[in-house]
Amino acid sequence: MFPAGCPAGNKALPAPAVKAGAAPDLPEEALRACPSSCKKFFPIDWNTGISCPMEKRRLPRILIVTAGYGEGHNSAARGVRDALAGRAEVRVTDLCAEAMPRMFRLTRAAYLWIISRLPRLWKLMYEVSDKRNLAEKPVKGLAPVERFLERLLRDWKPDAVVCTYMVYPYMLDSLAARTGNAVPYLTVVTDSFVINKSWLCSESPRGP
């Protein structure tokens, strides 16, 4: 799990070991692979877990944003939440379900129907999305989701965001460009075997 845009994120590394109630221990390969710029921009003690140098006497506030299109995104969100137990104040939010509940129910039902009944159509949709740069061609119809995310960032003021759904990093980039306020974020890729391009084209705040 690396900041979006980190070159180390393209390397196959062992998953971090997670102990109950503790932050994950990052593997030595990850520590060597991830450049110092990533370590500077995200408030992490890379040896002991997440820390918060911004304010004393409080845990860092971490917003995890997910989407219920299949169970993989939510499972990843719960895993990160559990790994940060006791180390951070964590909030898990399904942005699509919160911002567009009726549309979310319809699109989720359509998604589940297609992958179970029309696997060839789903394969075609996957291949089309794999050729699309979401930074240049954003998904249409998600403006309410981005506005909801903007309000959440303004009201809850997280120190960092963890994204387990591929469209959210682009929304964070859009908000940073529009408002000038860039919130550090990590992207947790939930594709199992082949990573779709839609995960890989977002920008990430980087240290000097």
Side-chain angles (χ1 to χ4, degrees):
M1 186 169 65
F2 296 94
C6 170
N10 296 326
K11 299 182 180 181
L13 298 173
V18 179
K19 300 177 181 178
D25 295 324
L26 295 174
E28 292 184 4
E29 294 93 330
L31 295 175
R32 290 196 298 267
C34 194
S36 59
S37 60
C38 295
K39 301 173 187 178
K40 290 179 181 179
F41 110 84
F42 195 71
I44 292 179
D45 180 328
W46 289 75
N47 294 312
T48 61
I50 288 191
S51 61
C52 182
M54 287 78 72
E55 295 181 18
K56 295 181 179 179
R57 296 184 180 179
R58 80 162 175 88
L59 294 173
R61 188 171 293 161
I62 308 299
L63 174 64
I64 303 174
V65 288
T66 184
Y69 295 104
E71 186 55 23
H73 307 296
N74 288 338
S75 178
R78 290 193 298 268
V80 175
R81 177 201 63 194
D82 294 346
L84 296 179
R87 299 295 187 104
E89 180 184 354
V90 180
R91 178 172 179 174
V92 179
T93 301
D94 186 325
L95 295 179
C96 292
E98 293 284 344
M100 308 186 304
R102 181 177 298 179
M103 182 60 67
F104 169 75
R105 289 193 296 270
L106 291 173
T107 54
R108 182 178 184 275
Y111 164 79
L112 295 175
W113 189 85
I114 289 173
I115 63 174
S116 63
R117 302 292 184 89
L118 298 173
R120 291 185 180 180
L121 176 58
W122 171 242
K123 181 176 182 293
L124 177 61
M125 293 169 62
Y126 184 92
E127 291 172 348
V128 170
S129 67
D130 194 39
K131 298 176 183 178
R132 181 176 182 175
N133 185 337
L134 292 182
E136 298 175 353
K137 297 181 179 180
V139 178
K140 295 181 179 180
L142 295 180
V145 179
E146 184 169 326
R147 289 195 296 268
F148 183 85
L149 175 59
E150 182 177 11
R151 290 196 302 270
L152 193 56
L153 296 178
R154 182 180 63 246
D155 296 342
W156 200 59
K157 296 180 175 58
D159 297 307
V161 179
V162 177
C163 306
T164 67
Y165 188 55
M166 73 287 293
V167 302
Y168 297 151
Y170 303 97
M171 293 182 182
L172 289 167
D173 292 341
S174 173
L175 290 172
R178 180 160 54 84
T179 67
N181 297 321
V183 180
Y185 68 84
L186 293 175
T187 301
V188 179
V189 177
T190 61
D191 286 354
S192 301
F193 301 104
V194 179
I195 299 177
N196 191 284
K197 183 181 178 180
S198 58
W199 290 98
L200 304 176
C201 299
S202 64
E203 293 295 329
S204 174
R206 298 176 184 177

